[in-house]
Amino acid sequence: MFLLLLILVGIVYYFSTPDERARAFHAVRSLLERLRHRAASARARTDPYDEVLRGCTRRPIVTPAIAALNLLIFLRVAGAGVSPADGEALVAFGASFGPRTTNGEWWRLVSAAFLNAGLFQLLINTAGLFQLGMLLERLVGHASLALVYLAAGAIAAVFCLSSHPVEVVYGASGAVLGLYGLFTAVLVWMTLRRSPLMVPVSTLRQLAPPAGLFLLYAAVGGGPEAAGRIPGLLTGFACGLLLAFRVGEQQTSIRQLGLAAGALAAVLAVCAVPLRGLADVRPEIARVLALEEETTTAYRKAVDQFRLGAVPAEALAQLIDRTIMPELQAARSRLSALAGVPEEHRPIVARADEYLRLRGESWRLRADALHGASMTNLRKADAAERASLDAFARIRPEDMP
């Protein structure tokens, strides 16, 4: 749209006379002056509640920073041409993925709260965050708002990880809902203590449209991140009960912030420790699939040489004994050594192990047939090979979540 406007201005400029350009310039300058005076007049008519808020926190800093960081990361993702469906690429931008997060990359629990892969997701989360955050930050302070956003986002991500350990999880909705929980606690304390800072109805009405849109999205939106929304909301509410007890009367103390941070860290550790060390079985499954192609290709080449009389049958048997069988046994040992296999991936690991067992048996029978020149064993080997290939066909990586 901006580009089209720029092109239109260029065309008008090109075909206009110098006098017409001068008049247009003066008209635009006059319009800008009027707009500046109106903005100055609007700032002069200060809302009385805004004046009261200035006594708590003069200017929000954390909320604009969070919104700007969300936008910056979104632009990087969009600039790289990454689709919301491309989980592998989103992990590179900080999304949480169980086998990566639980094997030393715990920072993903926080980074996932700043990643919005789709424009709709970004707009909804920003709408839910910005206006509420600008008010809330002035009520509770920079440190309290930052702590709640980060903690709610991390705890929401842990619950998503527990429910969907092999899904790629990202999105700010759990963290933003933490701010709504905090705001609810603030309103509760203000009502109980009859605070002079009680949010006026007119301000609540201004908050209602973006908040309603965001809460509707949070209530009906699906995806893996949905599992963390209620925990994020409850985290913010619990923090608010501790941090906002004297909201409007005094700033949150370092001691309160320390207690809240310590309690949140303990909750996070209790939830996260049982999940540590999840295995990523996808590379091993890919190696099993590639092994079938590699071994059969090597054997067919040797058979072609045998038919040309270049190698004896014993050479075929030695290829099986010394190369193919050890590779199959090594692959089966690697599968058996996998620890922390997610429940969702256990069926495919079991199918891969069954295939390796049957394939090893078929190759052993074939080697015995070649050693003894036995047609009976060769027929048994053919039957065993068909059974193993049936098992191989049941290994479907696309079925893995």
Side-chain angles (χ1 to χ4, degrees):
M1 188 67 181
F2 177 75
L3 182 60
L4 291 175
L5 182 61
L6 197 61
I7 293 171
L8 181 61
V9 169
I11 293 172
V12 171
Y13 180 84
Y14 181 80
F15 287 103
S16 60
T17 66
D19 288 340
E20 289 172 337
R21 294 171 192 167
R23 287 196 298 271
F25 174 76
H26 288 303
V28 170
R29 188 171 65 177
S30 175
L31 176 61
L32 292 175
E33 282 292 324
R34 288 198 299 271
L35 291 175
R36 187 175 66 81
H37 285 306
R38 287 182 183 178
S41 300
R43 285 196 297 270
R45 299 191 298 271
T46 307
D47 184 353
Y49 187 66
D50 188 66
E51 281 295 309
V52 176
L53 288 177
R54 287 177 182 272
C56 298
T57 304
R58 183 169 179 79
R59 186 177 290 109
I61 297 173
V62 175
T63 300
I66 292 172
L69 186 57
N70 284 346
L71 176 61
L72 179 63
I73 295 174
F74 169 77
L75 292 176
R76 285 192 61 199
V77 172
V82 175
S83 163
D86 190 351
E88 291 286 347
L90 291 174
V91 169
F93 284 94
S96 177
F97 174 60
R100 293 280 295 272
T101 303
T102 63
N103 284 281
E105 298 181 8
W106 294 104
W107 51 268
R108 292 181 180 278
L109 298 178
V110 174
S111 65
F114 294 91
L115 177 60
N116 300 275
L119 179 61
F120 179 74
Q121 185 184 42
L122 173 71
L123 293 176
I124 289 292
N125 287 333
T126 302
L129 161 73
F130 200 77
Q131 201 164 353
L132 175 69
M134 296 291 277
L135 169 64
L136 192 55
E137 185 174 350
R138 299 176 73 179
L139 288 171
V140 301
H142 309 309
S144 295
L145 186 126
L147 175 63
V148 171
Y149 186 89
L150 295 175
I155 288 178
V158 164
F159 274 83
C160 292
L161 189 61
S162 178
S163 303
H164 306 280
V166 292
E167 295 274 4
V168 175
V169 178
Y170 58 89
S173 61
V176 176
L177 278 167
L179 300 186
Y180 280 81
L182 173 62
F183 187 58
T184 302
V186 166
L187 293 180
V188 168
W189 281 129
M190 282 183 167
T191 302
L192 294 177
R193 299 179 65 82
R194 300 184 183 277
S195 171
L197 272 180
M198 187 66 189
V199 183
V201 174
S202 59
T203 301
L204 292 176
R205 285 175 180 165
Q206 292 176 2
L207 292 175
L213 183 64
F214 170 74
L215 292 174
L216 178 63
Y217 164 75
V220 303
E225 67 163 330
R229 289 171 183 158
I230 296 301
L233 179 70
L234 295 177
T235 298
F237 183 74
C239 288
L241 294 180
L242 176 61
L243 298 176
F245 178 66
R246 294 190 178 276
V247 63
E249 300 176 20
Q250 64 182 40
Q251 291 289 330
T252 305
S253 67
I254 298 296
R255 181 172 178 272
Q256 284 177 293
L257 287 168
L259 286 173
L264 289 167
V267 170
L268 200 56
V270 168
C271 295
V273 166
L275 301 173
R276 67 188 188 280
L278 287 174
D280 187 1
V281 306
R282 297 174 303 168
E284 201 56 55
I285 295 298
R287 290 175 71 177
V288 170
L289 296 175
L291 182 60
E292 172 63 27
E293 179 66 24
E294 293 168 3
T295 53
T296 54
T297 299
Y299 185 74
R300 283 170 185 162
K301 288 180 179 179
V303 168
D304 290 341
Q305 293 295 310
F306 168 75
R307 287 173 178 168
L308 293 173
V311 298
E314 186 62 25
L316 299 179
Q318 289 179 0
L319 173 65
I320 295 171
D321 290 336
R322 297 176 183 178
T323 302
I324 296 177
M325 289 294 293
E327 289 180 356
L328 290 171
Q329 291 164 0
R332 196 174 183 194
S333 296
R334 288 194 301 269
L335 277 183
S336 300
L338 287 174
V341 177
E343 186 175 350
E344 293 88 340
H345 287 173
R346 289 174 189 168
I348 197 169
V349 171
R351 290 196 292 271
D353 182 72
E354 176 67 5
Y355 153 73
L356 290 171
R357 183 187 68 80
L358 292 172
R359 196 63 171 120
E361 182 179 337
S362 73
W363 283 116
R364 181 185 57 79
L365 288 170
R366 192 168 300 278
D368 290 345
L370 291 168
H371 282 306
S374 170
M375 292 302 296
T376 301
N377 284 342
L378 197 58
R379 284 193 292 270
K380 290 180 180 178
D382 290 339
E385 181 177 346
R386 286 192 294 272
S388 68
L389 293 179
D390 288 342
F392 180 80
R394 292 195 293 271
I395 305 173
R396 298 169 56 87
E398 61 270 22
D399 293 338
M400 298 174 70

